[in-house]
Amino acid sequence: MVERIARWHPDQGAAVAARAVGALALVALAVIHVVDLPGSLGPTPLVGIGYLGIISAAVLIGGVLIAAPHWLAWTAGAAVAVSAMGGYVLTRALRGGFLGDHGDVGNWHCPLGIAALSVESVIILLVLLVAAGAWQARIHAAQLAASSRSAARRVPEHSNA
């Protein structure tokens, strides 16, 4: 039984599914911003530049998650989601506008904005779940190492003298 426990590995299917959902959520975030981009490039060029940053970062990070998953890619995905959320809140909450966007102040019912917030929430939740899974795997590995060390101490040494 100890041998079976020692060979335990986290479910690789779950890791692949998490990466796929993360990449799809990032692509969905990019698509939402592409749809809203034409209306923001002319009147509010700084917001449009921010959109271009979100779009390019989301697509790039989604590709990295699929190709070579790493905790930095997950962190970058969460950073893009939090940045986009922050931009949405700031453009609506600041009375003087944010980045030259005065038209969205108080416009909390924008359908694309609500869709983006929903996708960003999924990304952040997924990153938290992946982090919790990694933490759990780390704790499990530490427990296995500790139990194997204590088992090694309990085995009596036989001398051949």
Side-chain angles (χ1 to χ4, degrees), residues 157-161:
E157 292 185 27
H158 298 287
S159 62
N160 291 333

Side-chain angles (χ1 to χ4, degrees), residues 8-151:
W8 178 85
H9 294 288
D11 185 7
Q12 294 302 314
V16 170
R19 290 172 33 215
V21 170
L24 286 172
L26 285 163
V27 168
L29 182 62
V31 168
I32 291 168
H33 284 85
V34 165
V35 169
D36 201 30
L37 184 62
S40 66
L41 276 176
T44 54
L46 290 177
V47 173
I49 291 170
Y51 275 28
L52 291 173
I54 291 168
I55 293 164
S56 58
V59 170
L60 177 71
I61 295 165
V64 170
L65 278 177
I66 295 297
H70 193 271
W71 67 270
L72 285 173
W74 286 108
T75 304
V80 168
V82 168
S83 299
M85 281 179 155
Y88 180 82
V89 170
L90 288 174
T91 55
R92 281 141 180 87
L94 296 178
R95 292 183 186 263
F98 179 69
L99 298 177
D101 189 2
H102 303 286
D104 278 330
V105 175
N107 181 18
W108 295 99
H109 301 291
C110 172
L112 283 175
I114 293 170
L117 285 175
S118 300
V119 171
E120 292 150 5
S121 297
V122 167
I123 293 167
I124 292 169
L125 178 62
L126 185 61
V127 169
L128 291 174
L129 288 172
V130 167
W135 187 260
Q136 181 184 12
R138 187 175 188 172
I139 289 171
H140 183 75
Q143 288 172 342
L144 282 177
S147 68
S148 67
R149 282 193 302 267
S150 66

